[in-house]
Amino acid sequence: MTHREIERYRRCLVEVLQREKSPQRTEALYALAKEIGASTGKKRDGAGDIDAVGLIENIHYALQTASMVDMCRTAARNYWIAFVAALVALVSAAGAWTAVYVNIIAKLKGLYP
């Protein structure tokens, strides 16, 4: 799932939850859960079918998982930026220390007053 899809599903969940409690609300939660791939089966303790609260939890967990996968994918894709920035910082530090060293040598040789 992309970031935009995750946000769209979160907005959809909020819209469904803002409705008044009714069988249509539970049906909408069930449809949303099926659409995003959240569990719609039995309760965790195995005692009966899942209710609206269980559906909401499962939808939330599925969206959390999708968000984490999306963040990891983004981090894996953009690690080159951090790598290049570290190289630039290393070159900059080396240049600064070289300038300091050259200045010290010049002062020791009496080139500067």
Side-chain angles (χ1 to χ4, degrees), residues 23-96:
Q24 290 81 16
R25 178 179 167 182
T26 305
E27 289 172 10
L29 287 170
Y30 185 80
L32 180 61
K34 283 196 84 80
E35 188 176 342
I36 65 171
S39 175
T40 58
K42 301 281 184 188
K43 289 184 180 178
R44 287 187 200 155
D45 59 5
D49 288 335
I50 198 163
D51 57 349
V53 174
L55 284 171
I56 293 167
E57 285 180 357
N58 291 346
I59 291 168
H60 181 68
Y61 291 144
L63 291 175
Q64 271 185 327
T65 303
S67 294
M68 185 59 73
V69 169
D70 184 48
M71 284 187 270
C72 291
R73 190 180 315 126
T74 301
R77 187 174 50 233
N78 294 332
Y79 79 94
W80 284 105
I81 295 170
F83 182 72
V84 170
L87 286 177
V88 168
L90 183 65
V91 169
S92 175

